[in-house]
Amino acid sequence: MLALLGAASLRPAAAVMGGPKAHPYAQAVGTSVRAAEAVLAQTGTETCLRGKLTNAMLGLSASCEASGQRNPLCQLADQVSVITGPWSLGAMEDTARKVILLAAPVAVGGPGPVEVNR
């Protein structure tokens, strides 16, 4: 029984009933990039930026799942979506840099991040 509970906790946060609405993948990527840019520019209070980045990552995770995307950006969103407790500013900045780097192919209209085989 415990093994089943443990396996369920590894599913992306978007799979939880009542989770964030899944927007089109490209839109979710854009929202995540804007949140990441806001974190790096520190355009708001730390609490506001934490909420903005968290919500963007939850939305991206939901969109990845809904669209069947399995790439490094989606994996990052899934990892971040299960963080409990407040992030430090350093962790938010590190995540923001990764989001911008991984989203670059999508933002320029390319084919998107490379699929990762599982």
Side-chain angles (χ1 to χ4, degrees):
M1 181 68 169
L2 291 177
L4 291 174
L5 292 174
S9 67
L10 296 177
R11 297 195 64 196
V16 175
M17 223 169 137
K21 179 180 177 187
H23 293 286
Y25 176 70
Q27 180 182 343
V29 170
T31 299
S32 298
V33 168
R34 286 188 298 279
E37 290 170 342
V39 167
L40 294 175
Q42 295 185 8
T43 56
T45 66
E46 187 174 335
T47 302
C48 178
L49 295 172
R50 184 176 294 116
K52 184 177 281 196
L53 187 59
T54 299
N55 288 336
M57 294 288 92
L58 288 169
L60 179 58
S61 180
S63 293
C64 288
E65 184 174 333
S67 65
Q69 294 284 331
R70 287 197 167 98
N71 57 53
L73 181 59
C74 291
Q75 291 172 351
L76 176 64
D78 288 345
Q79 290 169 354
V80 170
S81 295
V82 296
I83 292 176
T84 59
W87 299 3
S88 68
L89 184 56
M92 289 190 311
E93 289 173 340
D94 183 52
T95 300
R97 285 186 198 92
K98 289 176 185 175
V99 166
I100 291 169
L101 177 69
L102 294 172
V106 176
V108 295
V114 177
E115 292 285 320
V116 174
N117 295 326
R118 289 190 177 189

